[in-house]
């Protein structure tokens, strides 16, 4: 006969998960600080190279970085069209970017991710505006508010 556990109190599991979550946030903070240190060190090295007479292009000798692919071909546009279809009204590029990040389970408080995605959203929607698929109107703050063009 098999014996099933009838645990109804998950407080130990919750405590363990909360501790792991806190540890991960602390590690992310340490990594962020270390990245800032490295960037400062690179700037200092660049300045020193210039002082000792190096006049080459520093960015040209940088190693290629692996491209971070967030969306496959057409996925971003599909997500944008879905967001606009279900929107109650016009949405700004930043709001669309935050919605897409939230939908994919990413942290919308990550300023860099939101800014990067906002630029990509704006470009994708400008292209769609040229094709007549969406309408973009500037609001009083000079932000563009996007809506789908109504079907005829």
């Amino acid at each position: 006969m098999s014996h099933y556990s009838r645990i109804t109190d998950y407080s130990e599991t919750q405590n363990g998960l909360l501790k792991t979550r806190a540890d991960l946030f602390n590690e992310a903070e340490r990594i962020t600080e270390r990245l800032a240190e490295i960037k400062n060190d690179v700037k200092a090295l660049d300045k020193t190279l210039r002082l000792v007479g190096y006049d080459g292009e520093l960015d040209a000798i940088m190693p290629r970085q692996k491209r971070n692919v967030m969306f496959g071909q057409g996925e971003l546009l599909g997500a944008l069209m879905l967001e606009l279809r279900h929107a109650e009204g016009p949405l700004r590029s930043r709001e669309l970017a935050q919605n897409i990040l939230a939908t994919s389970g990413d942290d919308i408080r990550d300023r860099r991710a939101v800014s990067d995605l906002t630029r990509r959203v704006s470009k994708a929607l400008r292209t769609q505006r040229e094709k007549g698929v969406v309408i973009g109107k500037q609001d009083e703050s000079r932000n563009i508010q996007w809506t789908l063009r109504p079907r005829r």
Side-chain angles (χ1 to χ4, degrees), residues 61-80:
I61 61 172
M62 292 294 293
R64 284 186 54 101
Q65 295 179 349
K66 185 176 179 189
R67 188 171 154 236
N68 183 16
V69 178
M70 287 178 61
F71 300 98
Q73 187 171 3
E75 285 182 11
L76 176 59
L77 184 57
L80 288 170

Side-chain angles (χ1 to χ4, degrees), residues 8-135:
T8 57
D9 179 17
Y10 291 101
S11 60
E12 285 187 44
T13 303
Q14 291 169 352
N15 287 338
L17 292 171
L18 288 169
K19 181 186 179 312
T20 302
R21 184 177 190 274
D23 290 345
L24 289 172
F25 269 106
N26 290 332
E27 183 180 353
E29 191 65 33
R30 284 191 304 275
I31 290 170
T32 302
E33 289 172 7
R34 179 64 183 133
L35 183 59
E37 290 172 4
I38 291 170
K39 286 182 179 181
N40 287 336
D41 290 347
V42 168
K43 284 181 184 176
L45 286 170
D46 290 353
K47 191 173 185 177
T48 304
L49 281 166
R50 296 285 181 222
L51 287 173
V52 298
Y54 182 79
D55 60 353
E57 184 60 41
L58 290 170
D59 290 335
I61 61 172
M62 292 294 293
R64 284 186 54 101
Q65 295 179 349
K66 185 176 179 189
R67 188 171 154 236
N68 183 16
V69 178
M70 287 178 61
F71 300 98
Q73 187 171 3
E75 285 182 11
L76 176 59
L77 184 57
L80 288 170
M81 293 300 120
L82 187 65
E83 285 291 329
L84 289 172
R85 237 178 261 120
H86 294 293
E88 306 261 333
L91 293 172
R92 296 187 334 254
S93 298
R94 184 170 216 69
E95 293 169 325
L96 286 163
Q98 288 172 332
N99 291 352
I100 290 171
L101 285 172
T103 301
S104 65
D106 292 321
D107 187 2
I108 64 169
R109 296 171 297 179
D110 182 349
R111 289 182 183 166
R112 182 177 221 170
V114 172
S115 293
D116 290 347
L117 189 55
T118 299
R119 275 191 295 277
R120 293 179 64 189
V121 164
S122 296
K123 179 160 182 10
L125 291 176
R126 281 193 308 269
T127 303
Q128 293 305 305
R129 180 175 56 190
E130 291 168 6
K131 292 179 179 179
V133 177
V134 297
I135 300 170

